[in-house]
Amino acid sequence: MSPSTPRPGSSGTLITVAPTGAEHSKADVPNLPVTLEELVRTARDCERVGAAMIHIHVRDDDARPTLDLGRLKETVAAVRENTRLIVQLSTGGAVTDPESARLGVLDAMPDSASCTMGTVNFGDDVFLNRWEFVVALHKGMQERGIVPEYEIFDLGQLTALRRLIDEHGLPAGGHVHLDLVMGVPGGMPGDTETLAAALRLVPDGATFSATGVGRTSLPVLLASLSAGGHVRVGMEDTLSYARGERVRDNAQLVARAAGLAKIAQRPPVGPEESRVLLGVAS
Ligand code: KMH
Ligand code: ZN
């Protein structure tokens, strides 16, 4: 199977919403969902307009990023109770989070978790992902039956992904799914040429989605749809809806992605079909 071919049984588009992230402050972005109540409302709204998976970063009472296990467990439970969305927790956290806390995220037992495939400059910071740490995340997910989404910030990280699978086997669920995170200052650019270059390196049989950070959001979305890929949108990645227009809420971004997916004749797939696609247990 060529990497750009949708998996059998699904020619539709899996839309993931990344509503919060770890980088924006509530003070600067008052409509960022940071409390559990705001997150659950966001999850419901986004499911209604076409999201099938949610990529979650949790905040503390002061709206600062946290990897507190109790909060993570509470969040997983609340989103499961209120939606059918596939619940993906970030193991990326914030650039300041230690490896132990990032590994500890897996004990919250989400359906899926992110696994970044290498170190990347991240604006003025460094997002550190040593090989041994990546392997520990991969194995930790295999042991717990958590389905990874491999986050790819630069092309060499696709080579690392191939090495990971060769040396340590397929992930839980038996299927490889990755997300090209494009347009991070320090990572690969968010444009069609780079997406096409990345596809040559996607492992056979894998599915991919793509995320364009900042102003690359729309070009990457359109390029991914046209290449048979899935998409991730949300306020973690972009705060502007159009030139000079701030995002109203996450559902606005999901609704736009769903509309474009329909126009591309690859309509959004629901959470149940997406579970089959990714190998996530129902
Ligand atoms: N917040 C970034 C440092 C992930 O969620 O796995 C890392 C990130 C990737 O957002
Ligand atoms: Zn994230």
Side-chain angles (χ1 to χ4, degrees):
M1 190 193 299
S2 95
S4 59
T5 307
R7 262 190 126 189
S10 173
S11 57
T13 304
L14 191 171
I15 300 177
T16 299
V17 63
T20 309
E23 281 71 40
H24 307 303
S25 78
K26 182 76 170 172
D28 292 341
V29 188
N31 55 341
L32 194 71
V34 294
T35 66
L36 188 55
E37 194 192 337
E38 288 168 344
L39 186 70
V40 166
R41 193 181 326 125
T42 297
R44 275 190 178 144
D45 291 347
C46 291
E47 181 179 25
R48 202 173 304 123
V49 293
M53 178 149 75
I54 185 165
H55 167 88
I56 297 176
H57 291 251
V58 167
R59 300 291 179 103
D60 67 14
D61 286 340
D62 297 319
R64 283 187 306 240
T66 177
L67 296 180
D68 176 77
L69 187 56
R71 260 183 205 254
L72 289 166
K73 285 183 175 169
E74 185 186 22
T75 303
V76 170
V79 177
R80 281 195 179 133
E81 226 167 80
N82 287 280
T83 73
R84 288 292 302 150
L85 293 174
I86 299 171
V87 180
Q88 179 183 97
L89 289 181
S90 166
T91 66
V95 288
T96 45
D97 284 321
E99 289 179 349
S100 56
R102 291 173 59 193
L103 271 170
V105 168
L106 302 182
D107 291 329
M109 294 300 290
D111 302 312
S112 171
S114 57
C115 177
T116 294
M117 286 309 306
T119 296
V120 63
N121 284 326
F122 198 83
D124 295 343
D125 297 309
V126 175
F127 180 29
L128 187 65
N129 295 283
R130 298 179 308 114
W131 176 249
E132 290 80 1
F133 176 66
V134 172
V135 171
L137 272 178
H138 177 77
K139 286 186 170 170
M141 288 194 235
Q142 278 175 329
E143 285 158 13
R144 292 168 179 78
I146 298 169
V147 173
E149 177 179 271
Y150 300 101
E151 308 293 339
I152 308 294
F153 287 75
D154 220 335
L155 296 190
Q157 294 180 8
L158 285 164
T159 316
L161 175 58
R162 299 167 84 107
R163 176 183 169 197
L164 184 74
I165 307 299
D166 281 353
E167 291 183 7
H168 299 283
L170 285 169
H175 173 67
V176 176
H177 179 71
L178 59 94
D179 184 44
L180 303 168
V181 187
M182 311 181 77
V184 169
M188 65 182 145
D191 55 38
T192 303
E193 293 86 343
T194 307
L195 188 132
L199 295 190
R200 288 193 301 111
L201 300 168
V202 169
D204 279 349
T207 49
F208 72 95
S209 74
T211 308
V213 170
R215 69 183 59 173
T216 72
S217 176
L218 262 180
V220 167
L221 174 65
L222 294 167
S224 189
L225 285 174
S226 74
H230 303 282
V231 298
R232 179 177 112 176
V233 293
M235 294 175 72
E236 171 169 345
D237 304 316
T238 185
L239 295 173
S240 88
Y241 187 74
R243 200 182 294 265
E245 185 184 339
R246 303 276 284 184
V247 169
R248 189 185 61 230
D249 56 25
N250 281 282
Q252 184 189 30
L253 293 169
V254 173
R256 177 168 67 179
L260 290 169
K262 283 181 201 151
I263 289 169
Q265 302 283 295
R266 301 205 29 241
V269 289
E272 311 306 333
E273 194 179 333
S274 298
R275 280 173 199 273
V276 176
L277 180 89
L278 299 179
V280 173
S282 294

